[in-house]
Amino acid sequence: MTSHRPVPGRLRAPAPGWTTRADVVVVGSGIAGLTAALRIHAANPSLRLLVVTKDVLAAGSTQWAQGGIAAALGPGDTPEQHEHDTLVAGAGACDVEAVRVLVTEGPEAVRELIALGTQFDLHPDGELSLTREGGHHRDRIAHAGGDATGAEIQRALIAAVERAPEIEVVQHALAVDLLRAADGGVAGLTLHVLGEGQRDGVGAVLCRAVVLASGGLGQVFSQSTNPSVSTGDGMAVAMRAGARLRDLEFVQFHPTVMWLGPDSQGQQPLISEAVRGEGAFLVDFDGNRFMQGEHPLADLAPRDVVAKAITRRMIETGHPHMWLDARHLGAAFWERRFPTILRVCREHGVDPVTELVPVAPAQHYESGGVATDLWGRTTVPGLYATGEVACSGVHGANRLASNSLLEGLVFSRRIADVLPGELRDWADPVADVRPEGLVSGERRRSMQETMTTRVGVLRNAAGLAEALAFLGSLDHGAAEVGPDAWETTNLLTVSTALAEAAALRTETRGSHWREDHPDRDDTRAGHVDSWLDADGGVAVEWTYAPSTDPSTAEVLT
C-alpha cells in the first residue's frame, strides 16, 4: 500500500444557508439516476425523493450516447454469448457474477424501458432493429433515431418523471460534500444551488440515503467526448466521505473521435462505433487498412485494441490522426442511419459522404469508479452508486461497446429493489473535522494538459511520476469559493487517485497501456482500490483478484 499526495478532506464552502429533508437524494439525472428515482418511487410511493442535477435534466452524458444499448434481444443471441463478449473485452478484470447479472437482467430491463415509452428503431415488421459494434459477435445493439439513442432514452425518462410529481427535481445543483452521522454513514448532503427559488446558494439536505448517479470524470483530460459537467464530482464526494474507489486506471479512450486540430479543448464530436459496425473502416494516410491482421474482428475489435492501433500508427507516421472511410455507405444511408453524426461532421467542415473523416482517440468512459456490491451499495452505510460513477465490476479493464447504458439501467433497478427496505434511521450530522481546502479554477487547464500527456492513452513510470509531482504541488489554499474551484478540486482528487492507481498497475491490460510494462501480467489480475487515509493522503493498494472464466481467453470468430 502507498499513501501520500494529500488532497482536501472536504471542500471549503459557506455554512448552509437553508435546510430541507428527503428520505432519499438521487444525484444525477441520466439513465442511472432517473431509473433509480422512478423505481424507488414505484417500490415505496410514500418516500420523499429528491433528484438533484448539476445542470438541467437533459444535460448529462446519457443524451450523448449515439450507438445504443446492448442486450441479448435478437434471434439466436443469448445472455451467455453477451457475457462471453463482455468478459473478453474486460481483459480478465471483470467480476463474472456482476457480468452475469447485467446480461441476464438486461433484456427485461430494456423491454421495460420500451414500455416506459422509449421508441427504438424498428424493422418494417415491427421487430427491433439491432446492429453490431466492436467486440460483439451478434447484432444486439438497440438504437433510436439512427444515432440518437441516448437522447431518446433521456426524453422518455424525463417524461416519466414529469408524470410522477411526487419526485422533486432541483436543477443547477452541485453536490458539495456528504454529511456523515456518528457511525460514518449518510446523514445528509450539502448542495450549491443556483437560483432555485428560496434554495439559493449552499444548503443542506438531511436524508437517510444518497444514490450517486453523477456520471464520469471526462474533464480530467483536455479532450473528451463527455459534456462539461463531467468533473468527477460524485467520485470525489464519495472518496471524501470514506468510500473506496476502484480501478480508476481503466480509462477508456474511444478510438474514433473527430480530430478538430491540435489546439482543440473540451468536448469533442464522437464518431460512433456503430459507423464501423455498418461497414466503415480505418485507413492511414497512405490508404492502408491497418486494422487488418491486428485482431480477428479487424475494425470491430474491442476499443482498447483499436485505440492502441491508431495511436501506434500515429506515432510511427508522425501524423496527429488517422482516417475513417465511410464514403461507400452512401448519402441515403448516412441520412437515415446516422443523421446526427452527419450533421455534426458537416458543421465541422467534413462531409463523410464524400470525404474521409479525421479521427484520433480521446477520453470517453471511466470503467472504474466508486466500488459497489451487486446491489449498488458502497463501503459507506446509506451511500449507493450506479452508472459511470460506480465500479460494479461489469466493465473490467475495458468496457464493451453499449454496455454502459445497460449497466446504469440494470444496477439502478437493483438499488431500488433493496434500498427501501434498508433505509437508515434519521441521524444528526456530526461536526466535520476533515481538513478543508480548494484548488483555484485557474489551475484546471494545466491539470488537464498534464493528465492528457502523462496519464493518457500511453503511460510509463516517468510520466506518471511527473503527473503525480505536479498534482502534489498544487496549492489547496485558493481564496475563491464557488463552482469553478469546487469542480477543479474534485478533478484534482480523482486525477490523483487515477494516476496513483496507474502507477501501481505495472502491466498492460485492457485500456491501461504501460509502454514500460507492455505485457499483461496475470499475477496482477486483481483490483486497485484507492481511498483517503486518516491524514488526507490518497492511499492505493491491490485488493482481491476477481473471479475469471478461463474459457474467455479464446476469442470467438
Side-chain angles (χ1 to χ4, degrees), residues 150-447:
E152 170 57 19
I153 291 173
Q154 189 77 27
R155 179 205 62 78
L157 289 170
I158 290 174
V161 168
E162 290 173 344
R163 295 193 297 269
E166 302 86 358
I167 300 175
E168 184 180 0
V169 176
V170 177
Q171 302 183 109
H172 306 291
L174 170 67
V176 179
D177 269 312
L178 281 179
L179 299 171
R180 297 187 295 176
D183 66 353
V186 168
L189 180 72
T190 54
L191 301 171
H192 177 265
V193 181
L194 185 62
E196 290 283 331
Q198 292 183 342
R199 294 181 191 158
D200 194 12
V202 174
V205 183
L206 304 180
C207 61
R208 302 162 67 192
V210 170
V211 179
L212 293 175
S214 52
L217 47 64
Q219 296 308 311
V220 159
F221 298 92
S222 298
Q223 295 88 29
S224 172
T225 64
N226 293 190
S228 61
V229 294
S230 297
T231 51
D233 304 323
M235 296 178 198
V237 164
M239 197 173 191
R240 289 194 294 268
R244 288 201 169 211
L245 306 188
R246 178 164 293 159
D247 292 346
L248 287 192
E249 71 273 22
F250 294 134
V251 180
Q252 186 177 83
F253 291 82
H254 198 289
T256 53
V257 176
M258 191 174 184
W259 187 78
L260 300 181
D263 299 322
S264 181
Q265 297 279 326
Q267 187 175 12
Q268 311 288 299
L270 174 66
I271 309 299
S272 170
E273 200 153 25
V275 179
R276 281 175 285 135
E278 298 288 1
F281 52 85
L282 291 158
V283 296
D284 61 18
F285 276 71
D286 294 323
N288 298 313
R289 293 188 61 177
F290 57 88
M291 285 306 301
Q292 300 292 322
E294 286 279 343
H295 189 277
L297 293 177
D299 293 272
L300 283 177
R303 288 177 176 175
D304 65 305
V305 176
V306 182
K308 289 172 185 175
I310 292 174
T311 302
R312 286 193 193 100
R313 190 56 59 102
M314 287 163 54
I315 292 171
E316 291 168 0
T317 63
H319 291 294
H321 63 84
M322 290 290 115
W323 302 98
L324 184 69
D325 191 347
R327 296 172 294 182
H328 58 287
L329 299 181
F333 186 87
W334 265 104
E335 290 166 1
R336 174 179 61 81
R337 181 67 178 86
F338 301 115
T340 306
I341 299 173
L342 178 63
R343 174 181 55 78
V344 170
C345 285
R346 285 173 170 170
E347 287 175 353
H348 289 283
V350 176
D351 187 346
V353 175
T354 60
E355 300 174 275
L356 299 175
V357 181
V359 293
Q363 191 280 337
H364 182 55
Y365 190 86
E366 172 56 76
S367 294
V370 184
T372 69
D373 66 9
L374 295 179
W375 302 95
R377 304 181 188 99
T378 74
T379 53
V380 174
L383 180 65
Y384 303 77
T386 175
E388 190 174 356
V389 71
C391 181
S392 66
V394 159
H395 303 305
N398 184 40
R399 176 178 66 96
L400 182 65
S402 289
N403 269 356
S404 51
L405 292 178
L406 189 69
E407 182 199 24
L409 187 62
V410 166
F411 286 90
S412 291
R413 287 158 47 97
R414 291 176 72 83
I415 288 173
D417 287 343
V418 298
L419 184 151
E422 56 190 35
L423 273 174
R424 293 165 51 81
D425 292 334
W426 291 96
D428 293 328
V430 297
D432 197 335
V433 297
R434 296 169 295 176
E436 66 176 17
L438 280 181
V439 177
S440 171
E442 295 178 353
R443 303 312 302 267
R444 183 183 300 198
R445 179 74 176 265
S446 58
M447 284 172 51

